[in-house]
């Protein structure tokens, strides 16, 4: 278990680029991830003046556009070689929008936001291209999402030359100057999955959750464990009903609801970022590494 806890009152955000079963990166590779994380963090920070919701959408959009991450362009491939993306956003006033198996919107998180703002629904599965266009969103053909690096990865995994690597999902949580909270998560899912498989990311309460006055949470990791443990909501419940601090609640949720479950024969792994309503933020994982960026006394720290 690794956790970073910072007390930072006022408007602030945290982003993540997935928890992984690879050891922390070093050298050139680490620098590349640091640069991408800092760019996405800066995009979120610029929008934080508008609202917590704008901040998490801006940060996640930047990571969806960056093929380094498993979201939007560069998302991992299903066993059939396709990219199916899932995304969710929730604002602390209790409203949420989400999409799963999305294939057309260039930025699935913006589509999820449209579900929140422009539809009576919460979760849409594979919204048609026309719906994305009617909402004024940019659409992209299937080849836009599929990168050569992901084709090579799928080939190695299907040939048994590589274990399916985890994870690479992206997410952000923010608190704005009004103390309002928001959370967003976006993913390509897991490598070589069955078509139609949906993880925790777009499921409100499992991978994404926000409640003003309590906490905003975005998760990453073995989606099946996070779904069954309803992990993001568990952090909220531990704080609201058991009076836990955000760092203790995060730790407890990962230990009790993730590490205690099996993925195959091994304990499930993953991590989460969470921000409370007044001052504390936490990056926490029960995986070998986690990509994240968070503020600490005027600096932006990263873990890669
Ligand atoms: N939780 C995501 C999923 O199961 C994967 C990840 O976080 O990398 O779809």
């Amino acid at each position: 278990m690794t956790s970073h806890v910072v007390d930072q009152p006022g408007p602030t955000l945290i982003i993540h680029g997935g928890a992984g079963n690879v050891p922390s990166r070093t050298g050139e590779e680490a620098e590349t991830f640091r640069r991408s994380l800092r760019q996405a963090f800066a995009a979120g920070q610029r929008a934080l003046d508008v609202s917590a919701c704008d901040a998490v959408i801006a940060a996640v959009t930047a990571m969806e556009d960056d093929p380094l991450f498993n979201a939007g362009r560069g998302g991992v491939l299903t066993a059939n070689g396709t990219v199916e993306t899932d995304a969710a956003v929730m604002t602390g006033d209790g409203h949420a929008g989400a999409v799963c198996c999305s294939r057309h919107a260039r930025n699935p998180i913006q589509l999820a936001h449209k579900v929140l703002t422009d539809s009576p629904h919460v979760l849409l599965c594979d919204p048609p291209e026309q719906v994305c266009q009617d909402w004024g969103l940019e659409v992209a053909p299937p080849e836009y999402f599929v990168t050569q690096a992901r084709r090579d990865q799928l080939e190695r995994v299907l040939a048994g030359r590589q274990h399916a690597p985890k994870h690479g999902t992206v997410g952000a949580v923010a608190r704005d100057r009004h103390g309002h909270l928001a959370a967003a998560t976006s993913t390509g899912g897991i490598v070589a999955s069955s078509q139609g498989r949906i993880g925790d990311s777009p499921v409100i309460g499992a991978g994404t959750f926000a409640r003003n006055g309590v906490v905003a949470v975005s998760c990453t990791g073995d989606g099946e464990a996070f779904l069954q443990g309803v992990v993001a909501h568990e952090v909220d419940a531990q704080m609201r009903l058991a009076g836990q601090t955000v760092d203790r609640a995060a730790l407890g949720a990962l230990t009790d609801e993730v590490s205690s479950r099996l993925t195959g024969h091994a304990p499930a792994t993953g991590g989460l970022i969470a921000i409370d309503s007044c001052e504390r933020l936490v990056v926490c994982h029960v995986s070998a590494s986690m990509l994240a960026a968070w503020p600490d006394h005027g600096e932006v720290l990263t873990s890669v």
Side-chain angles (χ1 to χ4, degrees):
M1 163 83 67
T2 307
S3 64
H4 307 278
V5 182
V6 179
D7 283 337
Q8 167 120 358
T12 192
L13 84 150
I14 321 174
I15 64 166
H16 75 77
N21 57 357
V22 292
S24 295
R25 291 143 188 98
T26 54
E28 188 59 35
E29 195 192 7
E31 248 339 284
T32 307
F33 275 104
R34 273 201 190 95
R35 210 174 307 122
S36 286
L37 285 167
R38 289 209 180 96
Q39 276 167 10
F41 187 90
Q45 207 161 32
R46 282 193 293 276
L48 195 51
D49 271 350
V50 186
S51 73
C53 183
D54 284 78
V56 294
I57 301 282
V60 168
T61 296
M63 289 186 279
E64 286 179 343
D65 288 342
D66 187 335
L68 266 189
F69 300 105
N70 171 20
R73 176 167 149 72
V76 300
L77 305 186
T78 65
N80 297 27
T82 56
V83 173
E84 294 180 348
T85 60
D86 301 336
V89 57
M90 183 167 190
T91 50
D93 57 1
H95 294 107
V99 290
C100 58
C101 301
S102 163
R103 292 177 299 131
H104 306 292
R106 183 186 155 120
N107 290 106
I109 196 65
Q110 294 181 9
L111 181 56
H113 189 225
K114 283 290 183 190
V115 176
L116 188 164
T117 56
D118 289 36
S119 89
H121 308 302
V122 171
L123 175 59
L124 289 186
C125 183
D126 191 15
E129 191 169 355
Q130 192 58 50
V131 169
C132 303
Q133 282 168 338
D134 290 347
W135 275 336
L137 296 173
E138 209 176 320
V139 294
E143 54 277 16
Y144 165 79
F145 297 96
V146 180
T147 62
Q148 190 56 44
R150 294 302 188 192
R151 277 200 203 97
D152 296 344
Q153 179 186 61
L154 180 65
E155 201 182 295
R156 287 194 302 272
V157 169
L158 290 180
R161 283 185 278 121
Q162 186 184 341
H163 289 302
K166 304 168 194 168
H167 302 280
T169 291
V170 308
V173 292
R175 180 203 307 130
D176 63 24
R177 66 197 146 97
H178 304 293
H180 295 160
L181 301 174
T185 314
S186 180
T187 188
I190 54 173
V191 188
S193 66
S194 307
Q195 275 188 302
R197 178 263 180 194
I198 300 162
D200 59 311
S201 311
V203 176
I204 299 304
T208 308
F209 192 76
R211 190 194 300 273
N212 285 344
V214 187
V215 73
V217 186
S218 170
C219 301
T220 169
D222 290 311
E224 282 67 15
F226 281 78
L227 271 169
Q228 293 169 107
V230 204
V231 173
H233 188 268
E234 177 66 13
V235 177
D236 167 81
Q238 287 297 331
M239 293 176 69
R240 195 163 42 90
L241 305 174
Q244 299 273 15
T245 56
V246 65
D247 47 308
R248 291 186 68 88
L251 215 109
L254 288 177
T255 313
D256 297 346
E257 300 297 344
V258 179
S259 309
S260 62
R261 293 171 200 275
L262 292 180
T263 294
H265 296 298
T269 66
L272 63 83
I273 54 175
I275 204 159
D276 74 10
S277 61
C278 43
E279 63 171 4
R280 187 157 289 187
L281 43 98
V282 60
V283 176
C284 194
H285 57 101
V286 286
S287 51
S289 60
M290 181 161 172
L291 297 163
W294 65 94
D296 191 354
H297 301 96
E299 273 187 80
V300 178
L301 302 187
T302 53
S303 64
V304 293

